[in-house]
Amino acid sequence: MIRQSFAWWSFAMDPATDPRALLAGAAGAGAQGVEMLPDDLWPVAQDLGLSVVTLSGHALETGFNDPTRHAALRDEVRRRIDDAAAGGCEAVIVFSGSRIGDGADAPAIAACVEGLGPVVEHAKAAGVRLLLELLNSKVDHPGHQCDRTAFGAAVVRQLDDPGLRLLYDGYHMQLMEGDLSRTITDHLDLIGHVHTAGAPGRHDLDDRQEINWRAIAGLLARKGYGQWVGHEFVPRGEPVAALREAIVLFNGGAARGVQNV
């Protein structure tokens, strides 16, 4: 089965959340990892058998598309890489940032390649992966530059280093471009992580949203995808129950996909 994790921020939005109870419930629901978890909770998650899968390396609004920010960003991301390595976190998420100047993609891609190169080397030496996340600029992150698969893929291909891969977020890319199955297939060699959420609305993976996540799970299984799938939706109801349903759906789709090879 595909390894599945969940995003702390979207499942722990209630300020009354008991962190240990949520982590224990998630582990009991079948989650194998947790993402973007506050650093002080990493030992709690690990004691419950959950991998700490990702953390954010810097604020997403200011990113590597801006050459004037490279020095500061490199220092910040290197510190987070070191935190990840020391605490047993597997990957650090990085961002292009919002568009600057005339917003043209070509110089922004070149800037991301130049800025991320030394950081990738630091991550590899620390045993940590870097993930460049694709975000929508239509609803949640107006002005974000890496808002299409083609942009992120160009950065990863030009850098040409396995230490950097795409974080392919199906919710964001459904809003921006759709055609998820073909896009995933065409770029699977570049994808190091997948995020889920229902579109539109960013809620549960149910029949009130338009992405066929069961089919996506089957596709990933057929193609031999071996990285994490992280559920990053905001549950409509009780979080652990919603997470359990998403995990069951994904496992069922993956099993069917393998059987249909």
Side-chain angles (χ1 to χ4, degrees):
M1 293 296 102
I2 294 171
R3 294 178 298 166
Q4 296 179 65
S5 54
F6 72 103
W8 181 254
W9 76 264
S10 64
F11 282 81
M13 296 186 76
D14 184 345
T17 296
D18 178 333
R20 185 174 186 87
L22 177 55
L23 289 166
Q32 294 170 280
V34 58
E35 302 189 39
M36 294 164 277
L37 183 69
D39 295 18
D40 62 317
L41 292 175
W42 291 7
V44 178
Q46 290 162 339
D47 285 347
L48 290 164
L50 292 169
S51 297
V52 180
V53 183
T54 66
L55 62 82
S56 293
H58 59 98
L60 60 86
E61 295 83 7
T62 304
F64 284 90
N65 64 344
D66 184 352
T68 69
R69 294 286 300 160
H70 281 178
L73 281 172
R74 284 170 178 161
D75 288 345
E76 184 176 2
V77 176
R78 284 186 180 114
R79 286 193 295 271
R80 293 305 279 153
I81 289 168
D82 292 342
D83 291 340
C89 178
E90 297 184 16
V92 173
I93 304 170
V94 294
F95 305 96
S96 71
S98 299
R99 293 179 186 272
I100 58 174
D102 64 6
D105 280 347
I109 289 167
C112 287
V113 172
E114 177 186 4
L116 284 166
V119 186
V120 171
E121 291 303 315
H122 187 85
K124 286 197 302 182
V128 174
R129 295 184 301 129
L130 288 187
L131 299 168
L132 177 62
E133 184 162 13
L134 309 174
L135 301 172
N136 84 77
S137 59
K138 183 182 292 185
V139 176
D140 300 284
H141 306 288
H144 195 79
Q145 185 127 35
C146 187
D147 63 352
R148 306 274 177 165
T149 305
F151 184 101
V155 174
V156 174
R157 288 199 191 282
Q158 289 184 31
L159 191 56
D160 192 25
D161 192 308
L164 175 70
R165 285 293 178 261
L166 292 179
L167 197 171
Y168 185 87
D169 189 305
Y171 160 75
H172 288 301
M173 291 302 96
Q174 176 68 8
L175 296 187
M176 295 305 300
E177 59 191 25
D179 201 15
L180 300 190
S181 295
R182 180 160 46 187
T183 304
I184 289 170
T185 298
D186 289 348
H187 299 88
L188 195 62
D189 61 320
L190 307 180
I191 295 173
H193 198 92
V194 172
H195 274 170
T196 80
R202 204 171 196 168
H203 293 300
D204 308 51
L205 314 187
D206 57 21
D207 59 5
R208 286 176 282 181
Q209 55 87 39
E210 64 195 23
I211 304 175
N212 186 344
W213 281 111
R214 190 183 303 275
I216 298 296
L219 171 69
L220 291 171
R222 284 196 305 278
K223 297 296 183 181
Y225 176 75
Q227 305 300 329
W228 288 92
V229 168
H231 300 294
E232 196 184 20
F233 61 86
V234 179
R236 291 190 177 91
E238 199 280 316
V240 171
L243 179 59
R244 180 179 290 108
E245 290 179 3
I247 290 170
V248 168
L249 179 149
F250 234 79
N251 282 339
R256 184 175 299 176
V258 171
Q259 291 167 3
N260 292 337
V261 169

